[in-house]
Amino acid sequence: MSGLTNRRIVLASRPEGRPTPADFRIEDVAAPEPREGELLLKVLYLSLDPYMRGRMSAAKSYAPPVELGAVMVGGTVARVVRSRHPDYAEGDFVFSYSGWQSYALSKGEGLRKLDPAAAPLSTALGVLGMPGFTAYAGLLTIGRPQPGETVVVAAASGPVGATVGQLARIKGARAVGIAGGPEKCAYVRDTLGFDAVVDHRAPDFAERLKEACPKGVDVYFENVGGAVWDAVFPLFNEFARIPVCGLIAQYNSTGPFEGPDRLPIVMRDVLSKSLTLRGFIQREFVSQLPDFYRDMSAWIREGRVRYREDIVEGLDRAPEAFIGLLDGRNFGKLVVKVDESA
Amino acid sequence: MSGLTNRRIVLASRPEGRPTPADFRIEDVAAPEPREGELLLKVLYLSLDPYMRGRMSAAKSYAPPVELGAVMVGGTVARVVRSRHPDYAEGDFVFSYSGWQSYALSKGEGLRKLDPAAAPLSTALGVLGMPGFTAYAGLLTIGRPQPGETVVVAAASGPVGATVGQLARIKGARAVGIAGGPEKCAYVRDTLGFDAVVDHRAPDFAERLKEACPKGVDVYFENVGGAVWDAVFPLFNEFARIPVCGLIAQYNSTGPFEGPDRLPIVMRDVLSKSLTLRGFIQREFVSQLPDFYRDMSAWIREGRVRYREDIVEGLDRAPEAFIGLLDGRNFGKLVVKVDESA
């Protein structure tokens, strides 16, 4: 044994609907000692993302569920604290999928070295990580915004939505964001520079969204579903593209879903407007990662892409922060600072 | 005036739900005399197609509705009977959009000359016309079947479905057809050579379809919707492609549609299986028409694509034949022989 204590958060029970703190359990166990070819990672930052809700359920999705009693999955930034692996030395910083824990053993698979001088380490979980790449690949490959077109994205102050809107503007399109509450809306409009922003909490939200899209909607980057979908749907132009990367509004719903049945109306418009609906997860586009790192780093340096992080201190607070994420309580990319010395 | 009598069928009323004969009205009027730059067409064959149901409703779609009192729209094969147009001579055969009538004036726009020696004239309305091209463009551009994949199509004895399945086999994929009743199923399997066929009237239809697709479904060419969609939907493989060219099962429904709401489940699978849903109409792909005429003519000559026509004699029978089409009572491409001498 390493003599170190690993604090970890495991899945205690599968939530029905909205998760509660009781669905998680904190455990302290001895951190393992790396054997030949292995290394021990100390987690500095843990990413919290909506997709994790899906992993808590037993239903088959694009990834297997987390087993009961197993450590919750998640992307992390970590420091190598012991290494018996030829490619990694003590003190190296890496991106890893170490999950909700303070130490993790690795054989080096799936790690990516990080240069702390190039960008703040935590950005490897956000704008220069999976959320940023989801926006980049989904918008540019599926959405393909053209100059003068209108791109709509919800959760516009979040790491995916913020990036989608800024990339839309870089491509010459008009970016319309949807966010919850005046503070987030002001940030989307004033700091991120979206052309328009609409508060989904407004009682006349659908009407305001329509006013914000006088030429209709050509690309809707779908990451929420629910009431936002209902407001955007009537605005689609012919040949609109709808990359679907998330449906956070329905992750806590178990179904069956009450009528009326909206599917026939959606299919009717898919046909009559020649719409494209395309689900994706970013790993399908992994061959674009080098382009992504090059383009996005440059856009950040040039000030053309901005980002915001919502950093929660301490692994123990991960469950409550994650539950808040599903309710939209975070403001910016939600990251847990696991190691207080980071 | 030309001295000729034009028999025409106009839209008398907009149907609520299923059309009835009373929604149509037969009129006899004087056929006009062409002026300089015009020509007079005698309609030989009229195509009846499901999309015409949409044009009978006031709702906006990809094409404007037929006005009340106006001639029903439709593709036709016609002979030039009088010409004051430099590009057309009396006796020429053309494809035109002359609609449900026996004579039509034309300025030459949208006409395509036909060679009666190259293929039977009526095929310009079916396998070598809009239905064949819908199958060709939708399957090859959106569906993109790969060798060994499974392609499912409904209305498999109809002009679009029959062509989809045969093209799927030409591309090395496995073709599974859905048709109504033993006679149509036998035709799809034995004459068209589909790998499997399932009767949608069977009480255990969904179970049989699943058995016919042991490796799941990679391409579903959607031209019907309704109960067939429900049976195909659970079978989609990751990255399945769903070209949507028709929804005949819901054309007569006015909505709202009773629950449960199927949309959240469809969106969940769009996301978790990275599905592509893509509506289209064939005119989007007009640049592929030369390839289509070349390829399809060759496949017909080689016996690799077969087709069947259901020819109804006499314009007066068009309304009842069209109503039967919406009920699936035709067997093959439904064509009205308007000129008995054709």
Side-chain angles (χ1 to χ4, degrees), chain A residues 60-62 222 229-230 238-239 242 244-247 250-251 254-281 283-284, chain B residues 60-62 222 229-230 238-239 242 244-247 250-251 254-281 283-284:
Chain A
K60 186 168 172 277
S61 183
Y62 48 77
E222 173 63 293
W229 165 272
D230 289 337
E238 205 178 3
F239 300 115
I242 304 143
V244 180
C245 86
L247 296 163
Q250 71 180 55
Y251 287 166
T254 49
F257 297 86
E258 266 183 40
D261 183 11
R262 292 176 296 166
L263 184 62
I265 305 296
V266 168
M267 291 299 283
R268 182 198 66 195
D269 279 15
V270 164
L271 175 59
S272 68
K273 294 182 175 177
S274 295
L275 305 179
T276 300
L277 266 164
R278 172 67 155 84
F280 75 102
I281 48 174
R283 69 170 180 232
E284 175 187 344
Chain B
K60 187 168 173 276
S61 182
Y62 48 79
E222 172 64 292
W229 166 273
D230 289 337
E238 203 177 4
F239 300 114
I242 303 143
V244 180
C245 86
L247 296 164
Q250 71 180 56
Y251 288 166
T254 50
F257 296 87
E258 266 182 40
D261 183 11
R262 293 175 295 167
L263 185 61
I265 305 295
V266 168
M267 291 298 284
R268 181 199 67 196
D269 279 16
V270 164
L271 176 59
S272 68
K273 294 182 175 179
S274 296
L275 305 180
T276 301
L277 266 164
R278 171 68 153 85
F280 74 102
I281 48 174
R283 69 171 181 231
E284 176 186 345

Side-chain angles (χ1 to χ4, degrees), chain B residues 160-246:
Chain B
V160 177
T163 310
V164 165
Q166 293 176 93
L167 296 190
R169 284 185 53 81
I170 286 171
K171 295 296 173 185
R174 194 161 171 279
V176 177
I178 297 165
E183 194 189 7
K184 287 180 180 175
C185 286
Y187 168 73
V188 169
R189 187 180 52 238
D190 302 336
T191 303
L192 300 181
F194 279 48
D195 297 277
V197 62
V198 183
D199 190 338
H200 65 77
R201 297 180 190 162
D204 56 348
F205 162 58
E207 188 51 41
R208 287 194 188 190
L209 182 66
K210 188 177 177 183
E211 287 167 14
C213 304
K215 291 162 66 184
V217 174
D218 302 292
V219 179
Y220 172 50
F221 193 102
E222 172 64 292
N223 55 358
V224 297
V228 173
W229 166 273
D230 289 337
V232 178
F233 176 72
L235 307 179
F236 288 139
N237 291 329
E238 203 177 4
F239 300 114
R241 288 84 66 196
I242 303 143
V244 180
C245 86

Side-chain angles (χ1 to χ4, degrees), chain A residues 29 66 90 100-101 103 115 146 167 180 214 220 223 260 276 285 310 321 333 335:
Chain A
V29 297
V66 174
E90 200 172 312
W100 298 27
Q101 57 186 344
Y103 287 96
D115 175 4
Q146 305 300 308
L167 296 189
Y220 172 51
N223 55 358
T276 300
F285 302 104
D310 185 339
K333 173 66 190 100
V335 172

